[in-house]
Amino acid sequence: MTAPLAGIRILEVGTMLAGPYATMLLADLGAEVVKIEPPGGEISRRVSDSYFASLNRNKGSICLDLNSPEGQATLRKLVAKSHALLVNLKPSAIRRLGLTYEALRRHNEQIVCVAITGFGLDGGDDPAFDYVIQAATGVAALTGEPDGPPTLPGYSSADNSTGLAAALGLLAQITSGRGGQIDVSLRDVMLSQLNYHASAYLNDGVQPQRRPFGAHSYYVPAQIFPTADGYLALFITHDGFWKSFAGEAHIDGFDTMAERVAKRDEVLAATTAALAADTATGWEARLRPLGVPAAAVRTLAEALDATPEMIVTAGDFRLVGNPIRVFGYRPDYRPAPKLDESGSARPVQE
């Protein structure tokens, strides 16, 4: 099967995570992605080889000094025969380097320009790294135990989520058949991801709060529970799940979600006591055949060992593959590019 994005050419002026992650997913699906790197290479090359590989497989690389007339001239040639340009830099740098639709439309009216920034193209240059955004948008305040300090998830959720949103915006504008500017900020993406918490506050005046074991605001029981050995994530979202779980756990009553929410503490106490009778993996094995959403808490290593089908090889590196599965198409995973391997003399094939 022809790759879904075969024939689409994308330029990336990306750094670290959000931008490179977006274009890597598109490259996996067949887009021709050329990574435009400054002299010396993009900064994430100096983090580690495996870090760079995890974000830049399936791309080409061209080294350009966009601060120079020569670099700008080559950029214009690239733009003229590309469908999109995606950049994640400070707004002032994006404008100074002429990486907006307004600056590039004269070279290609159909070019789609995607800008990933911390607070929007008009939001200023304040530092906006992933953890800063998680703190600024309420994510950190919602994470952790109620009596403990605010904390952060152990991965770059703001950068990764913004990369996904940017890829979606890029494809949406290409599909429209028009060029234009797409503006995606880490702040806005994370506020969007707090959708039901924000709606509860904006419409009902309900302040989001941290609950023990990461309990859900609306569903009970839906959180992590200790067991005889290990922890179990249990997610009961409707009465049918509760009936199946309660039958297996020998818990009487609390038949409706409304009752379980009203008697949250009693339900959690009964559930905790019942789960203490078996291990996390034991409960997982018992509940999954019943259709009850439950999983033992595993480490990343354990999760990867359990899902070998998600591990791919790109050059010398084993990586997690693209999560988008197109039936009939299997990505050809190529290694991350060596700096300037595409060469300034032939940056994009005709």
Side-chain angles (χ1 to χ4, degrees):
M1 177 180 175
T2 301
L5 297 182
I8 300 295
R9 290 173 167 174
I10 301 171
L11 307 175
E12 175 215 301
V13 184
T15 178
M16 297 300 284
L17 206 161
Y21 181 63
T23 55
M24 182 185 72
L25 295 179
L26 299 173
D28 289 344
L29 296 175
E32 179 185 356
V33 175
V34 176
K35 186 177 182 72
I36 298 175
E37 302 190 60
E42 194 248 292
I43 190 172
S44 68
R45 286 186 181 274
R46 299 192 286 277
V47 176
S48 76
D49 290 342
S50 61
Y51 181 94
F52 187 78
S54 75
L55 294 163
N56 291 287
R57 64 180 178 235
N58 286 340
K59 302 178 187 179
S61 168
I62 177 172
C63 189
L64 293 180
D65 181 359
L66 294 179
N67 291 296
S68 71
E70 297 79 11
Q72 284 289 321
T74 302
L75 172 67
R76 291 192 291 270
K77 293 177 182 177
L78 286 163
V79 165
K81 49 192 175 184
S82 298
H83 295 87
L85 179 148
L86 185 145
V87 55
N88 65 309
L89 296 170
K90 294 188 298 185
S92 63
I94 292 173
R95 290 194 170 90
R96 177 173 54 79
L97 296 173
L99 301 175
T100 63
Y101 180 71
E102 193 59 37
L104 295 173
R105 64 185 300 179
R106 73 195 74 171
H107 309 293
N108 180 354
E109 191 74 21
Q110 300 298 110
I111 193 74
V112 173
C113 292
V114 181
I116 297 176
T117 63
F119 304 100
L121 268 173
D122 297 319
D125 280 353
D126 286 345
F129 291 91
D130 183 286
Y131 283 11
V132 173
I133 294 297
Q134 291 191 50
T137 55
V139 175
L142 272 170
T143 308
E145 290 299 302
D147 297 330
T151 189
L152 299 165
Y155 79 108
S156 300
S157 62
D159 278 339
N160 283 324
S161 299
T162 304
L164 287 168
L168 175 61
L170 182 152
L171 292 175
Q173 190 66 13
I174 286 179
T175 301
S176 77
R178 302 184 301 273
Q181 183 69 55
I182 305 295
D183 185 5
V184 183
S185 76
L186 275 74
R187 177 200 60 194
D188 294 356
V189 167
M190 295 314 289
L191 288 174
S192 172
Q193 295 216 336
L194 292 173
N195 44 19
Y196 62 83
H197 286 298
S199 182
Y201 171 71
L202 293 171
N203 298 286
D204 307 320
V206 176
Q207 290 274 5
Q209 59 179 299
R210 279 184 266 161
R211 298 182 184 275
F213 295 102
H216 198 278
S217 301
Y218 291 103
Y219 307 124
V220 180
Q223 63 179 64
I224 292 174
F225 289 93
T227 69
D229 182 22
Y231 290 86
L232 182 80
L234 181 67
F235 206 68
I236 304 294
T237 57
H238 62 67
D239 297 339
F241 287 158
W242 173 258
K243 182 178 180 180
S244 297
F245 168 70
E248 182 69 20
H250 306 296
I251 299 175
D252 295 323
F254 313 116
D255 294 334
T256 67
M257 181 61 74
E259 183 181 4
R260 293 193 296 279
V261 170
K263 299 179 179 179
R264 176 185 286 265
D265 290 344
E266 294 177 47
V267 173
L268 296 183
T271 302
T272 300
L275 292 177
D278 201 349
T279 65
T281 54
W283 279 111
E284 181 183 84
R286 291 166 62 178
L287 295 175
R288 283 196 171 177
L290 302 177
V292 177
V297 174
R298 290 175 169 82
T299 65
L300 173 60
E302 291 169 334
L304 291 173
D305 287 343
T307 53
E309 68 276 9
M310 278 300 295
I311 299 173
V312 301
T313 300
D316 296 331
F317 293 92
R318 299 170 70 225
L319 305 169
V320 175
N322 195 298
I324 303 166
R325 297 185 181 181
V326 179
F327 279 41
Y329 169 73
R330 183 176 177 84
D332 178 17
Y333 292 104
R334 304 183 307 279
K338 294 180 171 60
L339 180 61
D340 202 33
E341 74 173 23
S342 299
S344 57
R346 44 183 175 80
V348 178
Q349 294 180 356
E350 292 292 351

